[in-house]
């Protein structure tokens, strides 16, 4: 059974810092990994999707990497801003089913 | 393109009642998935529908059911509500090809009293 872990559970940084969020998964036979952002009381916004054959994806100040063999992914946020404050979730698609298995998220606070 | 639309946004129900939640996917998307989010269990997969057929099901009791219509709109029903069913219910749509990215709606917040 696939399990996804995110560390740390919460992170508080001053504005302007570069930061890294971590995600690990137990079964390396994944099809893709997706990073989402969730604002309080809202749904999930897809940030980046990395196919299993890819090593990284970039979008603006965000860069996500994937190391399938070690079961790890990182989300790098450059020059953080208060508007980046949210919960960040990673999720993997694996196995014969199409559902996502989610981590418990990292709650990020960027202080002005 | 309009995003995934879920209605209603908020619901308050009493234990023992039943409830129906609705989801309209992105135009052209044929797959609709449902997830439950609670503080204790996080996000958990309920079921997925594709072309009006349930394609996958998570580990939830039979009180949780769903269906999909020919226009790809989906409904989720929970019968005999329990306090523990209080959660944010999220719907996601995708084109339906294997492992295409999912696009989520803003969810329905269900409170059971």
């Amino acid at each position: 059974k696939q399990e996804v872990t995110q560390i740390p559970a919460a992170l508080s940084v001053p504005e302007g810092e570069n930061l890294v969020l971590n995600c690990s998964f137990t079964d390396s036979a994944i099809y893709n990994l997706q990073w989402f952002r969730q604002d309080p009381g809202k749904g999930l916004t897809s940030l980046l999707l990395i196919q299993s054959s890819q090593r990284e994806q970039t979008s603006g100040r965000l860069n996500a990497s994937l190391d399938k063999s070690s079961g790890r992914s990182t989300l790098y946020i450059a020059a953080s801003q208060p508007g980046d404050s949210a919960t960040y979730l990673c999720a993997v698609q694996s196995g014969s089913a199409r559902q996502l298995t989610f981590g418990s998220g990292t709650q990020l606070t960027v202080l002005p | 393109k309009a995003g995934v639309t879920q209605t209603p946004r908020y619901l308050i129900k009493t234990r023992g009642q039943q409830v129906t939640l609705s989801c309209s996917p992105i135009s052209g998307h044929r797959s609709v998935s449902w997830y439950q989010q609670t503080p204790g269990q996080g996000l958990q997969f309920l079921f997925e529908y594709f072309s009006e057929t349930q394609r996958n099901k998570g580990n939830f009791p039979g009180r949780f059911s769903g269906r999909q219509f020919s226009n790809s709109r989906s409904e989720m029903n929970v019968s005999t509500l329990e306090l523990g069913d209080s959660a944010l219910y999220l719907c996601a749509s995708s084109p339906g090809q294997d492992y295409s990215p999912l696009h989520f709606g803003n969810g329905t917040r269900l409170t059971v009293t």
Side-chain angles (χ1 to χ4, degrees):
Chain A
K1 179 190 169 189
Q2 179 74 267
E3 292 182 1
V4 180
T5 303
Q6 291 187 245
I7 294 173
L11 181 62
S12 183
V13 300
E15 182 177 4
E17 266 201 15
N18 302 324
L19 58 100
V20 174
L21 306 182
N22 296 294
C23 172
S24 61
F25 45 94
T26 55
D27 184 351
S28 61
I30 66 169
Y31 294 96
N32 60 50
L33 183 146
Q34 213 166 343
W35 282 93
F36 294 92
R37 168 187 172 138
Q38 185 174 33
D39 293 288
K42 296 290 181 70
L44 307 182
T45 301
S46 180
L47 298 173
L48 291 164
L49 178 137
I50 311 177
Q51 300 290 355
S52 62
S53 58
Q54 297 174 318
R55 294 299 301 266
E56 65 177 336
Q57 281 287 332
T58 298
S59 176
R61 294 182 294 108
L62 305 180
N63 175 276
S65 68
L66 174 64
D67 184 343
K68 245 182 45 166
S69 60
S70 67
R72 294 183 182 182
S73 176
T74 61
L75 178 66
Y76 175 82
I77 303 177
S80 58
Q81 303 170 356
D84 295 330
S85 298
T87 296
Y88 291 80
L89 296 145
C90 76
V92 299
Q93 277 189 318
S94 57
S96 58
R98 289 164 182 76
Q99 72 256 32
L100 296 175
T101 302
F102 283 87
S104 53
T106 294
Q107 186 174 357
L108 173 66
T109 303
V110 181
L111 303 168
Chain B
K1 245 184 193 177
V4 177
T5 304
Q6 293 188 244
T7 56
R9 286 283 284 128
Y10 302 94
L11 268 175
I12 300 176
K13 291 286 187 180
T14 304
R15 267 184 307 175
Q17 289 186 315
Q18 74 166 21
V19 67
T20 299
L21 314 181
S22 179
C23 173
S24 294
I26 292 172
S27 177
H29 284 191
R30 297 167 62 194
S31 169
V32 173
S33 302
W34 289 89
Y35 289 80
Q36 182 197 63
Q37 186 177 30
T38 59
Q41 299 297 318
L43 274 151
Q44 293 184 287
F45 172 76
L46 281 155
F47 29 67
E48 184 221 1
Y49 286 86
F50 178 79
S51 293
E52 302 179 64
T53 301
Q54 187 181 87
R55 192 158 66 171
N56 292 298
K57 188 177 191 306
N59 190 26
F60 277 81
R63 299 185 297 107
F64 292 82
S65 63
R67 59 177 175 170
Q68 186 179 34
F69 302 95
S70 58
N71 62 358
S72 293
R73 190 177 70 84
S74 177
E75 287 183 347
M76 189 190 96
N77 185 273
V78 187
S79 63
T80 319
L81 284 166
E82 301 177 358
L83 295 178
D85 297 333
S86 295
L88 180 66
Y89 289 88
L90 292 165
C91 164
S93 76
S94 74
Q97 293 95 331
D98 282 357
Y99 314 114
S100 45
L102 272 64
H103 302 267
F104 283 80
N106 280 329
T108 294
R109 171 73 64 183
L110 172 65
T111 302
V112 182
T113 61

